[in-house]
Amino acid sequence: MKSISKITTAFLLISFLSACENKPKPVVEKDTSNGNISLETKANKESIEGLYETQTEPNNTEDCKISIEITKTKNGYTYFLNTKLRKLKGKATFITNESGEKTIVLEGIEWDEYEGDISHEEDNDSIAESETDSKQLEIPVGIGASYATDTLTIQNYGNAMNSYTKISECGRKYIQLIKK
């Protein structure tokens, strides 16, 4: 019996000593009275800069080759859009909204087609009035693309209630461009 009690006592003593060795270290406050507070940044900080290209889809004969190169400048970002019909350069605006969703807007690119919100067209009494309203619609300028994990996604066209096409060279509803 005495040997079991000695073993139990030794075990408890070793457990107690090992628990004492892992004491938390006290926090030392640094003097920040000069007003400068430095925050630690991630070394592998996510960067939107780079070349983004569409990927060929299996069993799809449609050619939708588009590339966008995003470059950081001292004043923000610029883009270079390359399709089979056009090559455009301009300013790119990078936005993170309140919910954390990231969007980049390629400024200066006019949409190819825009009929606007036609959900209220039935409110018009005459055909002539509806034709006059549609001629006055301005075609939007600027293409927004959502950004997530090295992928830009552009919703290229709308639906029957809000008809538009941003880039007619590509017939995809969602154009996904993957960073190279």
Side-chain angles (χ1 to χ4, degrees), residues 48-49 70-73 75-79 90-92 94 104:
I48 195 156
E49 279 186 277
I70 307 290
T71 308
K72 184 164 178 60
T73 65
N75 298 327
Y77 293 96
T78 60
Y79 71 87
K91 182 180 176 184
F94 188 58
I104 189 156

Side-chain angles (χ1 to χ4, degrees), residues 23-43:
K23 281 195 241 176
K25 296 179 182 172
V27 175
V28 178
E29 285 190 33
K30 292 185 180 179
D31 181 23
T32 57
S33 60
N34 64 1
N36 293 333
I37 299 173
S38 67
L39 298 175
E40 213 174 285
T41 58
K42 295 181 182 179

Side-chain angles (χ1 to χ4, degrees), residues 46-60:
E46 185 178 3
S47 172
I48 195 156
E49 279 186 277
L51 178 65
Y52 297 82
E53 294 180 340
T54 53
Q55 306 296 307
T56 54
E57 295 177 344
N59 303 324
N60 192 348

Side-chain angles (χ1 to χ4, degrees), residues 121-140:
E121 246 182 41
E122 62 209 29
D123 298 341
N124 294 335
D125 293 330
S126 68
I127 296 174
E129 187 180 328
S130 130
E131 288 174 4
T132 306
D133 289 346
S134 67
K135 288 180 182 176
Q136 293 175 355
L137 285 177
E138 289 186 32
I139 294 181

Side-chain angles (χ1 to χ4, degrees), residues 166-177:
K166 294 179 182 177
I167 302 173
S168 61
E169 295 97 281
C170 182
R172 297 178 187 172
K173 171 89 171 175
Y174 296 97
I175 301 172
Q176 285 196 320
L177 300 117

Side-chain angles (χ1 to χ4, degrees), residues 110-116 139-140 156 163-168:
E110 189 173 289
W111 295 11
D112 288 336
E113 297 174 20
Y114 181 67
E115 293 179 24
I139 294 181
N156 194 34
S163 181
Y164 65 86
T165 303
K166 294 179 182 177
I167 302 173
S168 61

